[in-house]
Amino acid sequence: MSSRFVRPVVVQVGRHDRERIIFDVNDAATILLRSFPHQTEKRKLAMDACLQVLRGEAQPPVARRAFVVAALEAKILRSD
């Protein structure tokens, strides 16, 4: 089963960092784990959604939506 997103998500974590293009659930989980500015409920929900997809319990759009919501909250979303 693919964990790829139908449409990539673009984020910019730090003000001076390059934009990062998130193509799949693994990319999203890595950003959530390593690069998110704050631990919030939306970040936790996005992490849980990514894990569900990786375990085969959910489809990639579920994780993508949760990731976009968390990225919006963290003000790192560049394009959806």
Side-chain angles (χ1 to χ4, degrees):
M1 180 176 75
S2 171
S3 65
R4 206 161 169 81
F5 294 153
V6 174
R7 285 192 351 265
V9 181
V10 181
V11 296
Q12 186 175 4
V13 176
R15 191 178 304 170
H16 303 296
D17 292 350
R18 286 200 324 260
E19 289 184 343
R20 307 254 317 258
I21 302 172
I22 311 304
F23 289 104
D24 63 23
V25 173
N26 288 311
D27 292 347
T30 299
I31 293 284
L32 287 162
L33 275 174
R34 299 199 184 136
S35 306
F36 248 63
H38 306 289
Q39 173 67 281
T40 66
E41 188 61 24
K42 288 182 173 140
R43 178 185 174 270
K44 182 183 177 307
L45 290 171
M47 200 65 232
D48 290 346
C50 288
L51 291 172
Q52 287 175 350
V53 172
L54 294 172
R55 288 195 298 254
E57 299 164 2
Q59 297 299 312
V62 173
R64 186 186 187 282
R65 272 195 303 276
F67 180 74
V68 165
V69 167
L72 265 172
E73 178 189 53
K75 297 180 172 57
I76 65 168
L77 187 68
R78 287 294 161 258
S79 84
D80 168 19

